[in-house]
Amino acid sequence: MLAMSEINCIKTLRNEKGLSISKIAETMNVNWRTAKKYGDGDQLPQEKKHIKKGMMYEEKWGQIVIDWLEEDLKLKKKLRRTNKKIVEDLKEMGFQGSYRTVCNFIQEWRAREDDEISKGHERLDHPEGEAQLDFGVMEAVQDGEIVDVHVLVMTFPASNTGFAIPMPGENLECFLGGLQELFKQAGGVPLSIRIDNLTPAVKKVRNGDTEAELTEAFRHFQNYYGFKVQVCNPSRGNEKGNVENKVGYVRYNFFSLPPVIKDFEDLTEKLKKQLKDDRNRLHYEKGELIEDLWQQEQKQLNKLPKEPYPVFKQFPIKFNKYNEFKLDKHLIHVPRARSYVQLYCITYWDSFKVITNEGEILLSDARPYMKKRRFIPWKDILKDWLKKPLVVDYSRYSGYLPTRIKEYLTVPSYSLRKQRINELITLLINHDMKEINQNFYELIGNNTEEQEHPYGVKWTDYDALSPKGTGESGHE
């Protein structure tokens, strides 16, 4: 290797004197390639690489130990090889090194692995137009009953802008249908989307050097809209930390108290407005309005195609002897189904239809899970109210009562209030709250009208004041 003074001389002869490479080689008495290398090449400083030496690095033993350690990570701790066992197995293969040599190598490998999976993750770079996607399960109240809502959230980390769409489940139709609506809300298609190992999208998770395998349906959807997909490594939540934070943000800001909704479309509009209004605040790090950052980032999105992708699933139906088939874990009856050689079911995120080979529709209805509800535990709630009747005025559950029953309970007299709460608790033994409201006069109304009480209410007169004359629309 030439000394620095010789290198500088070659540079001077080439750049300042204008000598040819051949002339420099002759003058400096060096090889033509050497003169070319230092005369025309840029000698930039490079970081020195400290190559580890020793039998664990230069021979096969280190790789064997790494393979064993990685293999053992998939087992319970009590089934993994000990250091002693690893050394014994190496000795049987002809290893000549010491126990301490192997232990030091294992300690170094484990320290390196711990660094990679530690909580101190590297800050990921988020270019404009890159999105992240995830589901979060929340609750809403519809018709006085609890509905589980699977909220699909899409965020753009560069501007911290979020969009959300409520769905009844996390199947293929809900996932693709929801994603399609999120594109519409964003006004374009992200350049790339980072996702977790969502079942509708990922057929096979990433494992070592093997890339994740997407489902055929999701690949077709991806190709149609033209976005790239990045699948997170298993157990690496930090790789989509922005959307996980946004799911929590939506839950704690908009679902801390389950909202009262008419249907999924109603909730969609409410979420859309809330998240749009939410953009009128400063970015947590950049000090600019999220809305301003989003207006800039939105320009990077790809245009939406003219026609939306048709999201549905079609499959042949197998019927039992009662002309029933199973959908969403519910039996669906199709009259005269066995009169046909073959029938097919086409499912959308919110509905389904049964068709013949010729496309004739025999049955069309909402999907069973659209009607899935859970009762609010009114009996337990009322027992708590009985102890403290004042709570009725500000309880989180008061807003879920039908209007007529709410007015019935919120009388000024606490003694009368306790009496009426007790009456409802008794009725709930054989009736649910919706039934009590629907049959109010038969179960409650007639008896209360006969009572001479300073705070009593003549319920037929009360209902006459209601816009619809029913007193049952108390969830607005």
Side-chain angles (χ1 to χ4, degrees):
M1 184 174 178
L2 296 182
M4 183 56 67
S5 58
E6 294 176 304
I7 295 174
N8 289 336
C9 186
I10 292 175
K11 285 284 187 185
T12 301
L13 292 175
R14 181 61 167 164
N15 297 331
E16 297 182 15
K17 303 297 184 180
L19 271 61
S20 66
I21 297 299
S22 298
K23 189 63 177 178
I24 292 173
E26 180 184 342
T27 303
M28 297 295 297
N29 195 26
V30 296
N31 185 279
W32 186 90
R33 291 188 180 87
T34 302
K36 176 69 174 174
K37 174 182 176 182
Y38 294 109
D40 292 341
D42 292 322
Q43 307 308 308
L44 301 176
Q46 294 182 347
E47 294 182 4
K48 293 182 179 180
K49 295 182 179 179
H50 299 281
I51 301 175
K52 295 181 179 180
K53 297 182 179 180
M55 60 195 314
M56 298 301 293
Y57 302 97
E58 297 175 321
E59 300 179 29
K60 63 181 180 180
W61 309 114
Q63 188 57 50
I64 291 174
V65 172
I66 290 174
D67 291 341
W68 284 348
L69 293 172
E70 289 180 344
E71 184 179 60
D72 285 358
L73 285 176
K74 301 174 184 178
L75 303 174
K76 294 180 180 179
K77 284 191 174 181
K78 63 181 181 180
L79 299 177
R80 298 174 185 176
R81 300 174 179 87
T82 62
N83 289 6
K84 182 180 178 182
K85 175 61 175 172
I86 289 175
V87 174
E88 289 175 354
D89 291 347
L90 288 174
K91 293 285 188 184
E92 291 181 4
M93 299 172 66
F95 180 70
Q96 299 296 316
S98 67
Y99 175 78
R100 178 50 51 193
T101 298
V102 177
C103 287
N104 288 339
F105 179 82
I106 292 173
Q107 184 180 10
E108 186 179 275
W109 180 85
R110 284 180 174 152
R112 187 168 63 249
E113 289 299 299
D114 289 342
D115 284 343
E116 291 183 5
I117 63 175
S118 67
K119 292 184 179 179
H121 301 293
E122 290 185 15
R123 186 182 296 275
L124 298 177
D125 181 38
H126 299 296
E128 290 186 345
E130 178 189 278
Q132 296 182 5
L133 197 70
D134 202 8
F135 271 108
V137 182
M138 303 167 202
E139 290 183 349
V141 174
Q142 182 179 3
D143 297 329
E145 296 172 335
I146 298 172
V147 181
D148 286 327
V149 180
H150 300 257
V151 182
L152 184 61
V153 178
M154 182 172 70
T155 63
F156 291 84
S159 61
N160 197 29
T161 301
F163 301 91
I165 180 77
M167 302 300 286
E170 297 183 19
N171 55 33
L172 177 70
E173 302 91 298
C174 289
F175 175 63
L176 297 185
L179 186 52
Q180 194 166 241
E181 176 60 28
L182 291 175
F183 291 165
K184 185 178 176 182
Q185 288 186 17
V189 180
L191 304 180
S192 67
I193 301 178
R194 188 182 293 272
I195 63 172
D196 204 345
N197 294 287
L198 298 167
T199 303
V202 180
K203 183 178 181 181
K204 188 176 181 181
V205 301
R206 179 179 294 175
N207 184 13
D209 295 332
T210 306
E211 290 296 320
E213 185 179 342
L214 303 179
T215 60
E216 185 177 356
F218 185 52
R219 280 195 295 104
H220 288 167
F221 183 88
Q222 175 201 356
N223 291 334
Y224 183 79
Y225 283 101
F227 58 87
K228 295 180 181 178
V229 177
Q230 299 171 328
V231 181
C232 295
N233 289 296
S235 304
R236 296 292 177 90
N238 69 299
E239 295 181 351
K240 59 176 183 61
N242 186 268
V243 71
E244 289 191 348
N245 290 337
K246 189 68 74 176
V247 169
Y249 185 84
V250 170
R251 176 180 285 112
Y252 297 129
N253 284 276
F254 310 136
F255 286 88
S256 58
L257 183 66
V260 178
I261 64 171
K262 296 178 182 177
D263 47 35
F264 278 88
E265 287 74 16
D266 173 47
L267 181 56
T268 296
E269 289 304 312
K270 287 181 178 178
L271 273 178
K272 183 178 178 181
K273 182 181 184 305
Q274 288 168 332
L275 284 168
K276 183 177 181 181
D277 293 342
D278 186 66
R279 298 203 290 266
N280 293 313
R281 61 184 174 92
L282 293 179
H283 189 279
Y284 64 93
E285 191 175 59
K286 299 180 180 179
E288 299 180 53
L289 281 178
I290 293 176
E291 176 63 26
D292 294 340
L293 293 171
W294 171 241
Q295 291 299 326
Q296 179 62 35
E297 183 173 12
Q298 192 181 34
K299 298 175 183 176
Q300 305 299 322
L301 305 186
N302 291 326
K303 290 185 178 180
L304 288 164
K306 292 182 178 180
E307 297 294 331
Y309 185 85
V311 177
F312 66 90
K313 190 163 133 187
Q314 182 170 347
F315 54 90
I317 305 174
K318 291 183 179 179
F319 289 93
N320 61 22
K321 62 181 179 180
Y322 304 108
N323 288 335
E324 297 170 332
F325 76 101
K326 188 168 285 189
L327 178 65
D328 301 333
K329 299 181 180 179
H330 286 73
L331 288 173
I332 309 293
H333 180 255
V334 181
R336 300 184 296 106
R338 299 179 70 85
S339 303
Y340 298 86
V341 176
Q342 181 65 67
L343 294 177
Y344 297 87
C345 182
I346 299 178
T347 55
Y348 308 92
W349 72 267
D350 59 344
S351 62
F352 76 95
K353 59 185 179 183
V354 176
I355 65 171
T356 65
N357 275 320
E358 291 73 32
E360 179 188 355
I361 300 175
L362 299 183
L363 178 65
S364 180
D365 199 357
R367 290 188 69 155
Y369 59 42
M370 294 296 290
K371 305 169 187 175
K372 188 177 179 181
R373 304 282 188 273
R374 286 185 288 114
F375 289 122
I376 297 174
W378 285 119
K379 193 181 295 184
D380 294 333
I381 295 167
L382 288 169
K383 286 179 180 178
D384 289 337
W385 288 355
L386 190 62
K387 299 172 186 174
K388 296 181 179 180
L390 176 63
V391 175
V392 179
D393 294 325
Y394 53 81
S395 169
R396 65 186 291 161
Y397 297 104
S398 294
Y400 304 145
L401 285 168
T403 303
R404 188 158 44 201
I405 293 178
K406 183 178 180 180
E407 293 290 340
Y408 179 62
L409 291 182
T410 53
V411 289
S413 169
Y414 292 147
S415 59
L416 179 58
R417 188 179 293 192
K418 289 181 71 172
Q419 176 187 325
R420 291 180 174 182
I421 292 172
N422 241 328
E423 185 179 10
L424 279 173
I425 292 173
T426 303
L427 287 171
L428 283 169
I429 296 174
N430 297 313
H431 310 275
D432 60 53
M433 189 64 78
K434 188 183 292 186
E435 187 180 354
I436 294 172
N437 182 64
Q438 290 174 344
N439 301 301
F440 185 79
Y441 298 112
E442 291 80 0
L443 298 174
I444 294 176
N446 287 334
N447 293 330
T448 53
E449 286 179 15
E450 293 173 0
Q451 295 176 0
E452 292 296 332
H453 197 285
Y455 300 109
V457 177
K458 187 175 173 62
W459 293 102
T460 51
D461 292 345
Y462 169 78
D463 281 348
L465 299 175
S466 172
K468 295 182 180 179
T470 62
E472 298 181 4
S473 57
H475 298 297
E476 294 302 314

